[in-house]
Amino acid sequence: MQLLKELVMSVSPSGRENTIREIIKTQLSSVCDEIFTDTLGNLVCHRKGNGKKLMLAAHMDEIGFMVNYIDDNGFIRFSTIGGVPKYNVINSPVEFVNGTKGKISYENKENPSTVNFEKMYMDIGANSKETAEENVQIGDMASYCGNFEIIGKRIMGKALDDRAGCWALIRAMQNTSSTNENDIYAVFTVQEEVGLRGAKTSAALINPDMAIAIDVSNVGDTPESLELNLKLGKGPAVKMKDASFLIHESVKELLLDCAKGAAIPYQLEAASYGGTDAGAIHLSGGGIASGTISIPTRYIHSANEIIDSEDLSNTVLLLEKIIDTPIKKYI
């Protein structure tokens, strides 16, 4: 779990994925034929094969915050990067890309249950605007301050969305042969949290025959939760739909065949909201057969997301089976 911890602790909000990109590049340099970074910042790891092009995508970025204004007392007003829920933010510790740390609070006159982001601020321990500006500038980015804990069979940390998917894809690439029939592109995308942007440009560059995103998804196994099908510990999910895409029939067949053939526990998911990289990939060019594998996750977009270690391990096994299965018969 040391690698997953390193990925989670990386401060890499959307548009500033440099740190995590270098970690992943180091992990995969010996198991790929070529690795390169495109203009937008996507890390493309190519393992050559003589068969059809298969793109496997996990996003590197995380939600975060950007400095908008620094007042005379050194308090920082900010805007959000990606879908940051208000109720997760108050009193959360934050860390900037340059290592500066602080916390988020709100104006005392406001009701904490209804306060808007405009009434929140960051406190980095500065006592003046000048002192604050020695550490941060307008436009600097931060994310939740890193934490990583093993709690029983579960893993808790910030940015498991989608560092868990990145970890699973890294391990699957490391654990499979370098002589697969499929022409494999493991892509670690940028700016997913702000509109699936990296997936769009990388898919246009690669033009794969089939694509599978690896991401997280909400569960329905907590007290009085929404009626959602996913539960921790029951295996990765094959996503039928969300607000951004409908699974392609050929990808559905491949994923179910691989899970059943390897006796990997799996779940089925049909979401009415949200989106993954598959939402952008499937619309690229003339259209790409796409789908998503979901890692069940509690408390998404908080500083303490929780996943199940067996779900994570089974996601790796499913990806290994997919990599080893010639996709030409499904297309």
Side-chain angles (χ1 to χ4, degrees), residues 102-328:
K103 67 163 287 182
I104 293 174
S105 192
Y106 63 98
E107 297 174 5
N108 288 335
K109 64 183 179 181
E110 297 294 325
N111 183 334
S113 64
T114 59
V115 65
N116 292 319
F117 286 116
E118 291 78 9
K119 301 296 184 179
M120 298 182 194
Y121 61 86
M122 291 181 183
D123 186 342
I124 62 169
N127 58 11
S128 67
K129 182 175 183 177
E130 292 73 23
T131 304
E133 288 178 338
E134 293 174 2
N135 296 282
V136 300
Q137 301 292 323
I138 304 299
D140 283 356
M141 294 186 186
S143 67
Y144 290 126
C145 193
N147 64 84
F148 183 88
E149 301 290 342
I150 305 297
I151 50 174
K153 290 172 54 182
R154 307 280 161 75
I155 300 165
M156 181 174 70
K158 66 98 175 169
L160 288 167
D161 174 16
D162 185 31
R163 308 294 162 74
C166 291
W167 184 90
L169 183 51
I170 291 168
R171 288 295 186 238
M173 290 292 288
Q174 291 173 332
N175 294 345
T176 49
S177 170
S178 60
T179 58
N180 307 102
E181 178 178 317
N182 297 323
D183 196 23
I184 303 291
Y185 289 84
V187 184
F188 299 86
T189 62
V190 297
Q191 299 189 42
E192 189 270 354
E193 297 290 3
V194 291
L196 317 179
R197 298 173 185 173
K200 182 176 181 180
T201 59
S202 57
L205 176 68
I206 296 166
N207 190 28
D209 297 292
M210 181 181 285
I212 299 168
I214 308 97
D215 211 327
V216 303
S217 199
N218 284 301
V219 296
D221 61 358
T222 55
E224 301 298 324
S225 67
L226 296 174
E227 293 183 346
L228 301 174
N229 191 54
L230 300 192
K231 296 177 173 58
L232 291 192
K234 300 298 183 180
V238 177
K239 178 172 283 199
M240 299 291 117
K241 68 176 285 289
D242 59 27
S244 70
F245 90 114
L246 299 167
I247 192 171
H248 195 277
E249 193 67 24
S250 65
V251 182
K252 175 184 174 183
E253 184 181 2
L254 169 66
L255 294 180
L256 294 180
D257 283 354
C258 287
K260 293 173 183 177
I264 299 167
Y266 69 93
Q267 305 179 69
L268 298 177
E269 176 194 8
S272 59
Y273 57 88
T276 71
D277 279 341
I281 295 169
H282 84 288
L283 294 175
S284 180
I288 295 169
S290 302
T292 296
I293 298 170
S294 298
I295 301 170
T297 305
R298 291 177 182 165
Y299 322 121
I300 291 175
H301 286 192
S302 75
N304 296 282
E305 300 170 343
I306 292 179
I307 62 173
D308 187 274
S309 60
E310 290 186 2
D311 290 341
L312 189 58
S313 297
N314 283 318
T315 301
V316 175
L317 294 177
L318 182 54
L319 287 170
E320 291 173 4
K321 183 67 175 178
I322 292 165
I323 289 170
D324 287 337
T325 300
I327 64 170
K328 62 183 181 182

Side-chain angles (χ1 to χ4, degrees), residues 21-38 42-48 173 185-186 188:
R21 184 169 52 240
E22 291 305 311
I23 296 171
I24 297 171
K25 184 177 180 180
T26 298
Q27 288 290 320
L28 292 181
S29 60
S30 64
V31 298
C32 294
D33 295 301
E34 61 173 340
I35 296 180
F36 62 92
T37 302
D38 69 11
N42 300 296
L43 182 67
V44 181
C45 305
H46 183 203
R47 179 184 292 166
K48 295 178 182 179
M173 290 292 288
Y185 289 84
F188 299 86

Side-chain angles (χ1 to χ4, degrees), residues 74-94:
F75 295 109
I76 297 168
R77 301 291 179 162
F78 62 89
S79 58
T80 57
I81 301 169
V84 182
K86 291 188 295 184
Y87 49 80
N88 286 339
V89 172
I90 294 176
N91 292 323
S92 291
V94 294

Side-chain angles (χ1 to χ4, degrees), residues 59-78:
H59 71 89
M60 299 184 287
D61 62 317
E62 61 186 308
I63 58 172
F65 312 92
M66 179 180 284
V67 176
N68 285 359
Y69 176 76
I70 303 173
D71 71 18
D72 290 340
N73 295 314
F75 295 109
I76 297 168
R77 301 291 179 162
F78 62 89

